[in-house]
């Protein structure tokens, strides 16, 4: 039932939308879907690199460890620079395109932010 929205009262992600209204299944709070969007709540997502530096959408990072690409014989080599990352919620919290490999998800613990 989770659709990326969180209840502003209790913080639960068990909410559902119905005719422009959003209802929390945990506490029963009802609010307008236009009031709070998933994009507004994504700003609270805090992702840090291997050194503890906070990352943001659009940052450039460097891979700090050789990473095997699942389902392929390819390897992302240490020192590979990845530009214009996008932060997402989940285990692999960085979506990006790696030169020579393509689109994939990375864990933030295996990258460090490039200070430009």
């Amino acid at each position: 039932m989770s659709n990326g929205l969180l209840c502003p009262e209790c913080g639960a992600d068990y909410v559902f939308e119905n005719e422009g209204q959003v209802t929390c299944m945990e506490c029963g709070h009802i609010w307008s879907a236009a009031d709070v969007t998933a994009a507004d709540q994504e700003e609270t997502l805090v992702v840090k690199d291997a050194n503890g530096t906070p990352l943001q959408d659009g940052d450039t990072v460097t891979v700090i460890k050789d990473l095997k690409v699942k389902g392929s014989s390819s390897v992302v080599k240490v020192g590979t620079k990845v530009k214009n990352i996008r932060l997402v919620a989940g285990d692999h919290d960085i979506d990006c395109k790696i030169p020579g490999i393509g689109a994939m998800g990375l864990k933030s613990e295996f990258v460090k932010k490039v200070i430009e």
Side-chain angles (χ1 to χ4, degrees):
M1 284 249 179
S2 178
N3 56 4
L5 296 175
L6 298 176
C7 175
E9 291 290 316
C10 67
D13 63 347
Y14 296 110
V15 299
F16 65 93
E17 287 185 67
N18 187 15
E19 299 178 7
Q21 297 286 326
V22 182
T23 304
C24 177
M25 293 171 45
E26 299 242 342
C27 70
H29 180 66
I30 299 172
W31 68 98
S32 172
D35 290 345
V36 181
T37 63
D40 292 336
Q41 292 187 2
E42 277 186 30
E43 293 176 347
T44 62
L45 178 67
V46 177
V47 178
K48 296 184 179 183
D49 69 359
N51 295 332
T53 306
L55 298 173
Q56 298 177 351
D57 285 344
D59 280 346
T60 300
V61 296
T62 302
V63 178
I64 62 169
K65 176 183 174 183
D66 284 347
L67 302 172
K68 295 180 183 177
V69 178
K70 195 172 192 174
S72 171
S73 61
S74 301
V75 175
V76 179
K77 294 288 190 178
V78 68
T80 301
K81 188 182 275 190
V82 182
K83 297 179 182 179
N84 199 18
I85 64 170
R86 191 178 69 124
L87 303 178
V88 294
D91 188 30
H92 291 76
D93 43 14
I94 298 174
D95 277 345
C96 60
K97 287 186 180 179
I98 297 181
I101 298 197
M104 68 182 300
L106 294 174
K107 292 185 177 183
S108 58
E109 63 195 73
F110 298 121
V111 300
K112 70 176 183 175
K113 184 174 180 177
V114 174
I115 308 296
E116 299 166 341

